[in-house]
Amino acid sequence: MSYLYNYKLTTNAEFLRVDLLDEIRQFSGKFSDIDIEVCLTYDENMHTDVTVGDILSHYTAALPDGDEIEIKRQVKRFVKHSLYMTLSEISGIKLPWGSLTGIRPTKLAYAYIAKGGQVDNVSGYMQSTFAVSSHRANLLQRIIKAQRSALSQMPDSAVNLYVHIPFCDGRCNYCSFPSVDISKKGSNDLLSRYVDALISEIAEMKKFIAVRNESIFSVYVGGGTPSVLGENDLERLLNAIAADNCEFTFEAGRADSFSCEKTAILKAGGVTRICVNPQTLNDDTLARIGRRHTASDFYKAYFTAKEAGFDINTDIIAGLEGETPSDFAHTADSIAELQPENVTVHTLSRKRASLLADTELSCPDIERMMDYAFMRFSDYEPYYLYRQKNMVGNLENVGFCKKGKECVNNITVMEEMVPVYACGAGSISKRVGKCISRFASPKDVGLYIDELKERTDKKLMFLSGERVE
Ligand code: SF4
């Protein structure tokens, strides 16, 4: 039994307890002081009896087929869906993503297509199988089409090269990424030593890629705030990456860390796309969330990058503490006027390692804000989508782009379609395929530098498909 959030869950499907609790939690406190029982039985079909208080509902589905993993997956979906339908009916609440609690609804759409489903039927499938709303299900279908078209020329030998710069100037309150605050004493020296280590790891990684005849499909330098690098370190880093003929994205996430000189270095270093992220264009909110820049810094950085001819990604967040729908509309309107190539609209989520970890986030207007974003960016193509745990309103993050301007890194990383060869402290390399496996580098920058050789060898073994202890 679980006594969480004042309800009691009893089930004979213990292996699904965590999933069932996730489902109940989606109704944010609606079911308190109540007994919920979920009973799963089998005969020639599978059945669930869901009791909430004194209301009993019964559901039946055909027995699943496939291998053990697939059977377990289908049973889980059926039981979660049964519980969702009951809770939805009793509460009168229909959630935008129905019974889905996972973070990547697109994966379910791809699995459906892999089993012979038609792309044009994705929306219907999501609505009938998971009770997803027609708006979200249609959105998903559109996104799958956009992704397939954007990746139609992707070679089988594609890999993504990721380079991580875990340094920032200050700390934003919603952020959970571990990063070194460069405003602290001694951190500039650490930054230069870090770049030395990173350059030698990149050199090993590039040799490895060349020997295996793989092609770098996209490069992404992320963080942290990569644009905090000084000009000399920046140039050294880009020379080490030396990527050409591929999408090359560089995060200049914080507008105050960007300059004309750095823009010229990025241009000469092969960067094609720059992320300049305001998150909000309201100065009061920027100060409140700990971003040490203003809206006017953002505009300056944006136009500097634009004039240099880069494609631009911008991120904004709906549901930031203290923001009203009109604050959010101001940000969305201002970004829509600029017409960057890519806009990603996030809904705020509470992350365990962030300064907001213990804050109960709520934003009653979050759906209105996201609806406004869909309307404001209706001349863009939605092309990637993901969800996170503890998102305000259980909504989603959506990437929109101008026609033909999809950031392929965003798609392939989000959908886990391409291996990620990641360099740097706290970076995570990934092998993809039937199973996804990961290799993490130490988050601690000092440890990363000290153990570089040994850890790089292990990482390359992992990427070759060997088992690494
Ligand atoms: S949001 Fe970006 S700039 Fe802010 S602390 Fe996190 S990584 Fe650094």
Side-chain angles (χ1 to χ4, degrees):
M1 281 188 287
S2 288
Y3 292 91
L4 278 175
Y5 300 92
N6 293 332
Y7 52 75
K8 182 174 75 176
L9 171 67
T10 313
T11 180
N12 66 344
E14 272 303 324
F15 64 105
L16 294 177
R17 174 170 292 277
V18 171
D19 301 283
L20 295 173
L21 291 172
D22 280 348
E23 202 65 67
I24 300 167
R25 247 176 245 135
Q26 291 213 97
F27 289 82
S28 8
K30 188 86 188 167
F31 293 95
S32 56
D33 295 319
I34 200 157
D35 290 349
I36 300 176
E37 186 176 356
V38 179
C39 182
L40 170 68
T41 52
Y42 303 91
D43 47 26
E44 65 277 13
N45 289 307
M46 54 182 172
H47 307 272
T48 46
D49 285 307
V50 180
T51 312
V52 178
D54 50 11
I55 298 175
L56 168 69
S57 312
H58 182 85
Y59 302 85
T60 299
L63 286 174
D65 53 17
D67 61 21
E68 200 184 326
I69 295 175
E70 181 56 24
I71 289 175
K72 208 169 160 192
R73 192 177 286 142
Q74 288 186 40
V75 170
K76 177 168 102 173
R77 282 182 197 155
F78 167 64
V79 177
K80 280 177 66 183
H81 190 69
S82 305
L83 177 59
Y84 170 80
M85 293 305 283
T86 305
L87 298 179
S88 173
E89 202 169 316
I90 294 173
S91 63
I93 296 172
K94 286 190 181 0
L95 297 170
W97 288 100
S99 58
L100 293 186
T101 54
I103 59 174
R104 292 194 186 94
T106 41
K107 286 228 160 184
L108 296 169
Y110 278 113
Y112 166 72
I113 294 166
K115 281 189 179 165
Q118 298 299 308
V119 180
D120 284 332
N121 295 337
V122 162
S123 174
Y125 167 73
M126 298 304 290
Q127 291 181 59
S128 60
T129 315
F130 303 105
V132 173
S133 71
S134 59
H135 175 203
R136 259 61 184 191
N138 291 340
L139 173 68
L140 210 54
Q141 181 167 305
R142 230 176 124 185
I143 285 173
I144 299 293
K145 284 187 177 180
Q147 294 189 342
R148 284 161 63 104
S149 147
L151 301 181
S152 59
Q153 305 296 322
M154 184 170 75
D156 291 344
S157 58
V159 298
N160 287 333
L161 177 64
Y162 177 75
V163 176
H164 193 59
I165 311 289
F167 290 82
C168 287
D169 186 5
R171 181 135 196 92
C172 309
N173 72 354
Y174 55 84
C175 180
S176 62
F177 294 117
S179 62
V180 178
D181 186 344
I182 56 153
S183 62
K184 299 226 164 98
K185 212 172 149 220
S187 55
N188 274 323
D189 175 48
L190 184 64
L191 181 52
S192 274
R193 287 200 295 123
Y194 178 69
V195 173
D196 291 341
L198 192 53
I199 286 173
S200 60
E201 190 185 8
I202 292 168
E204 290 304 313
M205 194 63 95
K206 288 200 71 179
K207 272 192 241 159
F208 178 79
I209 293 170
V211 167
R212 290 164 60 89
N213 242 337
E214 291 170 322
S215 23
I216 298 182
F217 188 53
S218 76
V219 178
Y220 195 101
V221 182
T225 312
S227 47
V228 297
L229 290 173
E231 288 157 25
N232 185 38
D233 283 339
L234 185 57
E235 198 160 14
R236 292 195 303 130
L237 179 69
L238 296 177
N239 286 340
I241 296 172
D244 50 14
N245 287 327
C246 71
E247 175 184 284
F248 187 166
T249 307
F250 187 91
E251 279 187 3
R254 286 266 298 266
D256 50 344
S257 60
F258 202 48
S259 67
C260 290
E261 292 72 19
K262 289 184 188 175
T263 312
I265 294 168
L266 293 171
K267 196 76 192 163
V271 172
T272 58
R273 188 179 279 261
I274 294 192
C275 306
V276 190
N277 300 327
Q279 314 302 2
T280 169
L281 284 170
N282 298 300
D283 284 343
D284 288 350
T285 317
L286 285 168
R288 197 163 48 240
I289 64 177
R291 287 180 76 84
R292 294 185 191 160
H293 66 87
T294 60
S296 121
D297 291 328
F298 163 76
Y299 283 112
K300 218 166 99 198
Y302 182 90
F303 288 118
T304 305
K306 196 76 213 158
E307 273 159 28
F310 293 106
D311 287 344
I312 302 187
N313 291 6
T314 57
D315 284 4
I316 60 175
I317 302 177
L320 284 170
E321 215 183 336
E323 287 222 327
T324 62
S326 70
D327 292 329
F328 178 74
H330 166 68
T331 300
D333 291 346
S334 311
I335 295 292
E337 244 167 69
L338 294 173
Q339 292 280 297
E341 284 69 22
N342 181 109
V343 184
T344 301
V345 183
H346 298 259
T347 47
L348 185 66
S349 73
R350 180 167 47 86
K351 302 186 183 110
R352 264 186 304 163
S354 76
L355 298 173
L356 294 179
D358 298 325
T359 310
E360 193 53 50
L361 302 179
S362 90
C363 177
D365 294 309
I366 192 71
E367 283 204 55
R368 262 176 78 195
M369 292 182 183
M370 282 308 281
D371 287 347
Y372 190 81
F374 283 116
M375 185 277 291
R376 208 61 188 78
F377 299 109
S378 56
D379 56 335
Y380 281 65
E381 190 61 34
Y383 78 100
Y384 79 102
L385 175 150
Y386 65 103
R387 303 175 73 209
Q388 287 166 296
K389 286 208 166 208
N390 303 320
M391 293 183 100
V392 175
N394 274 312
L395 296 178
E396 65 278 307
N397 302 323
V398 185
F400 298 88
C401 69
K402 305 299 288 181
K403 200 166 173 40
K405 291 291 183 184
E406 297 85 357
C407 177
V408 293
N409 185 280
N410 284 343
I411 303 175
T412 51
V413 169
M414 229 30 100
E415 304 303 340
E416 300 180 313
M417 289 170 166
V418 169
V420 178
Y421 291 4
C423 300
S427 68
I428 297 179
S429 296
K430 249 189 219 179
R431 288 198 316 238
V432 298
K434 200 163 180 208
C435 294
I436 308 286
S437 37
R438 296 172 174 78
F439 183 96
S441 294
K443 289 179 183 165
D444 182 273
V445 171
L447 189 64
Y448 166 78
I449 296 171
D450 292 346
E451 297 187 355
L452 183 67
K453 167 87 181 82
E454 180 195 333
R455 302 244 188 192
T456 304
D457 289 348
K458 276 194 178 167
K459 186 183 293 184
L460 298 183
M461 278 167 62
F462 163 81
L463 290 173
S464 336
E466 288 179 50
R467 199 183 161 83
V468 179
E469 298 305 322

